[in-house]
């Protein structure tokens, strides 16, 4: 008897982005003369940098030459890229990670969604609230979350850790002990980052409770403050409790190129002593045929001296937008968070307005689009996300409009 995977039917609808699209379409129809600006985009807008383009061209030429043609890439990634990652992202920061603990992939979305496969269905997950939706949704598909409760906006078997202004958007240890703990820092959507001392407490907590932290560091390149760790492996003991996921999307603009990686240290074991590294290697070998050579060459170019300078310039470009938005909002009387170690600004809606009411207000009064905080989880209610991924021109125009709305 043909039956679908019923877990999929437990997924909450993609209400957030479809509702935004509908509201924007209706506004444009009613106001054809207005130019709508989006500060809601989660995609980059600047083109790939010269070193990356040069590496892409070079790799394409190699593929067209019978002496240098490449077929299937090694499952875990080419040595040249894994070594560059190991040297630059880990060794240079004093982290003890070897090249064969790095698994190159097509990006952080796949890895953060797939990593749960190597854990038993009985494992309890803990997530921040608000949260990047992939962590919960992929566990729903696996049947790990129980049923969705419409009235609370939560799954019955998921441990939610509210992150609000009251706790500085930093999760507190939950009452129940989770097996898997998802932490994203710098954070999407709140734009805030966890300090080293706090992350060390989480590492200690995970080691004491035999939990695994799945650390999404997709925004690592945006960290500007001292005391904010670039990798969880800067913390003592992280090799026995943490998996780290990284991406080339938000730093080098690879959203359309596709490249990322996941670190699974060999010291990471389950309660019976089974190493997770071998399981993830097996999973890669069975379900993934390697990131393309062309992309991996482009990724390696990001670590060249020119590449590093170009990536710093890209990040600065977006962070100038972040500052523009943050300063303008603060001037206009808003309470704002984030925008210092991440390209996201998380604002408190004025007068306790609901997130969706503020969305309507911004769209109708200023032709501006952002993302309602409540769309990322119940604790996001009363907050609103703006992104710094636009162009300077659009950002400047958006800021002008924000200042014209009276609070
Ligand atoms: C954008 C984003 C990703 C996705 O990265 P890709 O490498 O493009 O798949 C992962 N995690 C978070 C939190 C993100 O915001």
């Amino acid at each position: 008897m043909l039956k679908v995977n019923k877990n999929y039917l437990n997924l909450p609808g993609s209400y957030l982005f479809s509702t935004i699209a509908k509201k924007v379409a209706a506004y444009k129809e009613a106001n054809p003369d207005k130019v709508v600006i989006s500060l809601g985009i989660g995609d980059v807008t600047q083109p790939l940098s010269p070193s990356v383009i040069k590496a892409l061209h070079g790799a394409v030429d190699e593929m067209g030459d019978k002496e240098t043609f490449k077929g299937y890439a090694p499952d875990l990634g080419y040595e040249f890229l894994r070594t560059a990652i190991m040297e630059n992202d880990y060794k240079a920061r004093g982290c003890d990670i070897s090249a064969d603990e790095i698994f190159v992939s097509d990006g952080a979305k796949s890895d953060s969604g797939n990593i749960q496969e190597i854990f038993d269905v009985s494992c309890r997950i803990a997530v921040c609230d608000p949260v990047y939706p992939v962590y919960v949704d992929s566990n729903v598909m696996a049947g790990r979350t129980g049923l969705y409760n419409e009235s609370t906006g939560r799954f019955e078997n998921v441990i939610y850790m509210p992150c609000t202004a009251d706790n500085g958007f930093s999760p507190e240890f939950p009452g129940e002990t989770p097996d898997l703990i998802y932490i994203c820092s710098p954070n999407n959507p709140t734009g805030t980052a966890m300090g080293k001392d706090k992350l060390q407490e989480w590492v200690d907590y995970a080691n004491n409770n035999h939990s695994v932290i799945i650390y999404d560091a997709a925004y690592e390149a945006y960290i500007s403050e001292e005391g904010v760790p670039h990798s969880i492996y800067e913390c003592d003991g992280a090799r026995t409790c943490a998996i780290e996921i990284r991406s080339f999307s938000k730093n080098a603009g690879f959203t359309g190129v596709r490249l990322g990686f996941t670190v699974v240290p060999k010291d990471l074991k389950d309660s019976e002593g089974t190493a997770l590294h071998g399981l993830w290697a097996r999973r890669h070998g069975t379900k993934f045929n390697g990131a393309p050579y062309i992309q991996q060459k482009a990724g390696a170019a990001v670590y060249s001296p020119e590449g590093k300078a170009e990536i710093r310039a890209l990040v600065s470009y977006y962070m100038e937008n972040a500052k523009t938005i943050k300063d303008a909002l603060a001037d206009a009387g808003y309470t704002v968070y984030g925008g210092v170690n991440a390209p996201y600004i998380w604002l408190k809606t004025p007068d306790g307005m609901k997130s969706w009411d503020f969305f309507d207000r911004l769209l109708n009064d200023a032709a501006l689009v952002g993302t309602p905080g409540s769309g990322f989880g119940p604790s996001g209610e009363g907050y609103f996300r703006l992104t710094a991924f636009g162009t300077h021109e659009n950002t400047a125009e958006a800021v002008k409009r924000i200042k014209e709305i009276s609070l």
Side-chain angles (χ1 to χ4, degrees), residues 196-207:
K196 170 102 182 273
D197 295 347
K198 184 79 194 178
L199 189 59
Q200 182 66 57
E201 287 176 22
W202 272 102
V203 166
D204 295 342
Y205 172 90
N207 275 323

Side-chain angles (χ1 to χ4, degrees), residues 148-286:
Y148 186 65
N149 181 329
E150 289 284 348
S151 65
T152 61
R154 292 176 161 187
F155 284 90
E156 60 187 1
N157 280 343
V158 174
I159 300 167
Y160 291 88
M161 304 179 289
C163 294
T164 62
D166 294 339
N167 56 21
F169 304 98
S170 187
E172 288 156 41
F173 302 130
E176 301 161 274
T177 306
D179 300 300
L180 302 173
I181 303 159
Y182 287 86
I183 295 177
C184 175
S185 180
N187 191 263
N188 177 9
T190 68
T192 55
M194 213 185 259
K196 170 102 182 273
D197 295 347
K198 184 79 194 178
L199 189 59
Q200 182 66 57
E201 287 176 22
W202 272 102
V203 166
D204 295 342
Y205 172 90
N207 275 323
N208 290 337
N209 291 292
H210 210 149
S211 318
V212 167
I213 296 174
I214 297 167
Y215 194 69
D216 185 340
Y219 295 95
E220 172 275 331
Y222 289 84
I223 294 170
S224 69
E225 287 183 316
E226 291 286 319
V228 177
H230 287 251
S231 164
I232 194 167
Y233 304 112
E234 288 176 39
C235 295
D236 293 333
R239 283 187 56 85
T240 52
C241 72
I243 290 172
E244 181 164 289
I245 300 175
R246 296 267 194 116
S247 167
F248 290 81
S249 285
K250 311 296 174 23
N251 57 350
F254 277 35
T255 52
V257 175
R258 311 305 309 140
L259 194 68
F261 61 89
T262 286
V263 178
V264 184
K266 290 183 177 162
D267 300 348
L268 208 49
K269 302 195 170 111
D270 82 343
S271 52
E272 289 166 10
T274 306
L276 304 184
H277 183 276
L279 268 61
W280 188 239
R282 186 63 198 259
R283 196 259 171 216
H284 249 249
T286 302

Side-chain angles (χ1 to χ4, degrees), residues 80-374:
F80 65 79
L81 180 57
R82 300 165 87 199
T83 304
I85 292 169
M86 185 262 290
E87 293 286 348
N88 292 281
D89 287 323
Y90 297 106
K91 236 177 154 176
R93 297 204 179 272
C95 303
D96 172 24
I97 293 295
S98 61
D100 62 359
E101 293 174 315
I102 297 164
F103 297 76
V104 175
S105 73
D106 68 343
K109 189 178 208 176
S110 315
D111 284 352
S112 61
N114 291 328
I115 195 75
Q116 48 75 30
E117 284 184 27
I118 62 170
F119 299 98
D120 192 78
V121 72
S122 66
C123 291
R124 288 290 300 278
I125 70 159
V127 295
C128 294
D129 168 24
V131 68
Y132 179 62
V134 174
Y135 315 146
V136 174
D137 288 4
S138 55
N139 280 285
V140 174
M141 291 168 170
R144 201 173 279 118
T145 56
L147 293 176
Y148 186 65
N149 181 329
E150 289 284 348
S151 65
T152 61
R154 292 176 161 187
F155 284 90
E156 60 187 1
N157 280 343
V158 174
I159 300 167
Y160 291 88
M161 304 179 289
C163 294
T164 62
D166 294 339
N167 56 21
F169 304 98
S170 187
E172 288 156 41
F173 302 130
E176 301 161 274
T177 306
D179 300 300
L180 302 173
I181 303 159
Y182 287 86
I183 295 177
C184 175
S185 180
N187 191 263
N188 177 9
T190 68
T192 55
M194 213 185 259
K196 170 102 182 273
D197 295 347
K198 184 79 194 178
L199 189 59
Q200 182 66 57
E201 287 176 22
W202 272 102
V203 166
D204 295 342
Y205 172 90
N207 275 323
N208 290 337
N209 291 292
H210 210 149
S211 318
V212 167
I213 296 174
I214 297 167
Y215 194 69
D216 185 340
Y219 295 95
E220 172 275 331
Y222 289 84
I223 294 170
S224 69
E225 287 183 316
E226 291 286 319
V228 177
H230 287 251
S231 164
I232 194 167
Y233 304 112
E234 288 176 39
C235 295
D236 293 333
R239 283 187 56 85
T240 52
C241 72
I243 290 172
E244 181 164 289
I245 300 175
R246 296 267 194 116
S247 167
F248 290 81
S249 285
K250 311 296 174 23
N251 57 350
F254 277 35
T255 52
V257 175
R258 311 305 309 140
L259 194 68
F261 61 89
T262 286
V263 178
V264 184
K266 290 183 177 162
D267 300 348
L268 208 49
K269 302 195 170 111
D270 82 343
S271 52
E272 289 166 10
T274 306
L276 304 184
H277 183 276
L279 268 61
W280 188 239
R282 186 63 198 259
R283 196 259 171 216
H284 249 249
T286 302
K287 294 194 180 182
F288 185 60
N289 248 339
Y293 175 71
I294 298 169
Q295 273 85 325
Q296 294 196 49
K297 284 300 267 191
V302 168
Y303 294 103
S304 67
E306 309 77 44
K308 283 183 188 170
E310 291 163 6
I311 269 53
R312 271 197 299 276
L314 275 176
V315 167
S316 302
Y317 181 92
Y318 297 125
M319 289 312 276
E320 274 175 45
N321 287 340
K323 187 169 178 352
T324 303
I325 298 169
K326 195 168 180 174
D327 290 351
L329 286 166
D331 274 355
Y334 291 87
T335 305
V336 280
Y337 307 95
V340 176
N341 296 304
Y344 295 108
I345 284 91
W346 188 244
L347 65 95
K348 191 104 194 66
T349 57
D351 309 321
M353 238 175 163
K354 294 266 186 202
S355 299
W356 276 108
D357 291 339
F358 187 72
F359 175 92
D360 292 336
R361 171 89 171 271
L362 216 52
L363 180 60
N364 292 319
D365 293 2
L368 287 178
V369 179
T371 315
S374 56

